[in-house]
Amino acid sequence: MKHEQSYHMTPEEFEKNGQEVIHWIADYYRRIESFPVMSQAAPGDIRAGLPPHAPAKGESFSSILQDVDKIIIPGITHWQSPNFFAYFPANASGAAILGELLSAGLGVQGMIWATSPACTELETQVLDWLVEMLALPEKFRSSGTGAGVIQDTASSASLCAVLAAREKATQFASNLKGGDGRLTAYASSQTHSSVEKAVKIAGIGKENLRLVPVDRNFAMRPEELAKLIQEDRRKGKIPFFVCATVGTTSSNAMDPLDKIGAIARQENIWLHVDAAMSGTAALCPEFRHIHKGLEFADSYCFNPHKWMFTNFDCDCFYIGDRKILIQTLSILPEYLKNKATESGAVIDYRDWQVPLGRRFRALKLWFVIRHYGIEGLQYHVRQHVQLAQEFAEWVKGEPDFELMAPVPLNLVCFRHKAGAKFNENLLDHLNRSGKIYLTHTKLNDIYTLRMSIAQTNTQRRHVEQAWELIRKTARELKEKIKD
Ligand code: PLP
């Protein structure tokens, strides 16, 4: 039999190359501490190493992999390094990586139940498990009025929440164009920028987003929220959406959900709770106080891709009344009609998100939960929190440094007392050393360093070394100033 010409990898070649890649990744994790955590590449460096034109003829897999080492690695900031303490984490794990690989291997596009029932049903089940694992309100279970869905990011979850809230407030008359400029949304001055973006995309208008002042711990002040709502009502506006945050990006502040929730309920305003990183802490009963008042929430999200050892991207978004979300985002063109959908017995997640297509993300989440078990996940979360609490104590005990915010979980905001310029310089030296990577924020307009402890393989010695390095570098910089 004559074979047709093919440029594809055969299963045998795939197996061989695949083993090489798995070996490469395992070796990468063994070597990861030898790389500078923050890429030291200058703008344009990586492109300069790449050929100006795509190859006309296919190349060998080993030469591609060699170029990963030569060209790509110098341009990588090593998010999975145990010495990565920047931003909020995007942690990964062996189980998640293999789940991701399997998802790529199956190549499923799970837009509707019929395009791969397992993609939908595993997602529903795993999101129900998480309701139990995090002790979330029962209404978020699929057996109730609500349910969960995996979004790519918390930004998408916020957008879906704003859209659903808008439609609810306008009785699904989107032709009101976001309420004719009358709808108003509320978030604290510390809320993640993705909420402002969502408000813009939803046509509400940035000018209709009220930034509620915060207290000395950077948490939303409920009495200020109530005041702003009343002011808007007097002006003929329609308050429709409030976002409360469990663990703000700058300082990990916890908005008081119970008080905000009571106001939202009384005013008939949609409450969305963004727990992007910190939600994972609720795996441990002793940290579940962060969710006090969550029963008031109409929607909620947290990112396993931040702190639950699940590769980016994976955000779990829950809604208390799924009908509203579905009615908001549902469209049914002829080419997607099918018997399962018509039967009403299945979930079609395409109606629960902005894009049509969707990846099989539940697979990696399932792998992670099964690999670690609840116990394993709790162990590592507790370890991170413990290390951050200890780091905070070290800062408190060092006369030249000070804490800049409470440390409820695993983020420490601190600074050297020598002022903004000194701290900027300190951060720059630390990051250029390649030994650790930290980022900064401003709290009350004061330049502040952030130590975010949540990398999969971060252990006590990494945190101790980081603190040693921070103190040593600060001492050296001070000496230099004196000279
Ligand atoms: N919300 C909070 C509190 C965050 O800290 C972040 C990112 O750090 C986001 C939302 C946005 O996350 P994503 O990248 O998943 O959209």
Side-chain angles (χ1 to χ4, degrees):
M1 196 173 75
K2 192 166 169 276
H3 283 288
E4 280 179 31
Q5 185 185 354
S6 168
Y7 290 87
H8 301 308
M9 256 183 215
T10 62
E12 291 69 31
E13 287 167 335
F14 175 78
E15 196 168 10
K16 182 179 160 292
N17 298 336
Q19 279 166 359
E20 240 185 278
V21 171
I22 295 283
H23 172 72
W24 189 96
I25 297 172
D27 201 43
Y28 171 67
Y29 278 98
R30 281 184 213 110
R31 296 181 295 152
I32 199 161
E33 290 184 56
S34 68
F35 299 109
V37 189
M38 187 186 78
S39 168
Q40 311 283 309
D45 274 1
I46 307 307
R47 283 193 73 177
L50 295 164
H53 306 290
K57 286 194 182 304
E59 301 176 55
S60 76
F61 194 76
S62 62
S63 75
I64 302 172
L65 214 47
Q66 269 168 25
D67 280 349
V68 170
D69 278 313
K70 202 170 103 205
I71 305 170
I72 303 301
I73 287 294
I76 293 295
T77 287
H78 299 277
W79 282 73
Q80 302 314 318
S81 165
N83 298 311
F84 183 100
F85 302 107
Y87 307 106
F88 273 163
N91 67 20
S93 66
I97 295 165
L98 294 175
E100 187 85 294
L101 181 61
L102 196 59
S103 165
L106 292 171
V108 158
Q109 205 280 49
M111 58 190 169
I112 52 180
W113 180 88
T115 58
S116 265
C119 179
T120 296
E121 294 193 14
L122 182 65
E123 184 162 331
T124 310
Q125 193 68 11
V126 167
L127 271 85
D128 272 356
W129 281 3
L130 281 162
V131 170
E132 211 168 272
M133 290 166 67
L134 270 62
L136 300 178
E138 283 296 310
K139 66 179 165 188
F140 292 144
R141 263 185 210 276
S142 62
S143 54
T145 52
V149 56
I150 300 180
Q151 304 277 341
D152 51 5
T153 59
S155 304
S156 294
S158 291
L159 176 59
C160 288
V162 171
L163 292 172
R166 182 192 75 184
E167 293 306 291
K168 184 178 177 221
T170 58
Q171 278 113 43
F172 296 91
S174 329
N175 56 353
L176 283 180
K177 295 198 192 85
D180 280 346
R182 289 199 297 144
L183 293 180
T184 47
Y186 306 81
S188 94
S189 56
Q190 300 293 305
T191 303
H192 191 264
S193 55
S194 51
V195 172
E196 179 183 326
K197 202 181 220 181
V199 161
K200 282 162 80 171
I201 296 169
I204 306 303
K206 189 184 157 191
E207 68 284 5
N208 289 318
L209 173 65
R210 309 280 179 258
L211 294 185
V212 185
V214 293
D215 64 19
R216 49 201 279 275
N217 293 334
F218 307 101
M220 186 190 286
R221 289 172 58 182
E223 71 283 5
E224 293 290 333
L225 169 69
K227 218 161 86 187
L228 285 168
I229 291 171
Q230 293 321 322
E231 270 173 27
D232 279 327
R233 289 219 190 276
R234 276 196 296 278
K235 288 184 206 150
K237 296 278 188 183
I238 309 168
F240 83 109
F241 177 86
V242 56
C243 176
T245 307
V246 172
T248 58
T249 317
S250 266
S251 71
N252 218 356
M254 305 287 166
D255 288 341
L257 303 186
D258 50 351
K259 298 204 174 82
I260 295 168
I263 295 168
R265 169 97 31 112
Q266 191 188 336
E267 297 286 340
N268 195 22
I269 296 175
W270 187 288
L271 172 62
H272 175 62
V273 174
D274 174 5
M277 182 192 69
S278 299
T280 294
L283 285 166
C284 308
E286 68 272 29
F287 302 136
R288 287 191 186 144
H289 55 85
I290 62 173
H291 282 160
K292 183 167 165 249
L294 190 58
E295 62 279 8
F296 287 115
D298 295 284
S299 54
Y300 168 83
C301 78
F302 86 105
N303 287 358
H305 77 223
K306 278 189 159 57
W307 195 13
M308 217 180 89
F309 315 107
T310 307
N311 285 55
F312 188 88
D313 51 0
C314 184
D315 166 275
C316 295
F317 175 53
Y318 289 93
I319 185 131
D321 183 350
R322 60 179 176 262
K323 279 206 225 97
I324 299 174
L325 182 66
I326 294 169
Q327 200 177 335
T328 298
L329 296 175
S330 177
I331 34 113
L332 185 55
E334 185 57 36
Y335 45 81
L336 291 179
K337 287 183 181 161
N338 67 88
K339 285 208 169 67
T341 298
E342 278 156 26
S343 76
V346 301
I347 289 177
D348 289 327
Y349 278 126
R350 72 187 177 92
D351 294 333
W352 300 51
Q353 59 174 27
V354 174
L356 169 64
R358 57 201 326 271
R359 311 197 305 117
F360 194 172
R361 295 191 187 88
L363 209 50
K364 63 187 169 192
L365 199 47
W366 189 50
F367 272 37
V368 165
I369 296 171
R370 293 189 62 182
H371 169 80
Y372 286 92
I374 297 170
E375 232 178 72
L377 294 170
Q378 287 172 334
Y379 172 83
H380 289 289
V381 165
R382 284 183 178 128
Q383 192 191 32
H384 289 152
V385 175
Q386 169 70 22
L387 289 173
Q389 298 300 321
E390 285 184 47
F391 186 92
E393 286 305 314
W394 301 337
V395 172
K396 272 199 237 165
E398 189 70 34
D400 282 348
F401 285 86
E402 62 184 335
L403 282 184
M404 300 300 287
V407 185
L409 296 168
N410 58 336
L411 176 74
V412 185
C413 291
F414 69 108
R415 69 166 195 151
H416 193 283
K417 289 179 184 163
K421 270 268 156 297
F422 186 89
N423 281 285
E424 256 179 74
N425 206 7
L426 174 60
L427 185 69
D428 189 48
H429 273 74
L430 291 168
N431 291 342
R432 277 195 292 119
S433 80
K435 292 179 180 151
I436 59 173
Y437 184 24
L438 295 181
T439 47
H440 83 283
T441 188
K442 277 192 177 168
L443 293 173
N444 286 332
D445 221 25
I446 301 174
Y447 192 93
T448 299
L449 306 178
R450 294 168 75 265
M451 177 86 180
S452 165
I453 302 177
Q455 259 326 312
T456 306
N457 294 307
T458 297
Q459 294 175 353
R460 168 176 294 277
R461 73 181 162 91
H462 301 106
V463 180
E464 282 172 353
Q465 282 163 12
W467 180 230
E468 236 353 271
L469 183 71
I470 293 166
R471 286 194 310 167
K472 180 169 160 277
T473 312
R475 276 197 304 270
E476 286 168 3
L477 286 177
K478 249 178 128 179
E479 285 302 315
K480 244 197 219 159
I481 294 169
K482 267 199 222 147
D483 289 347

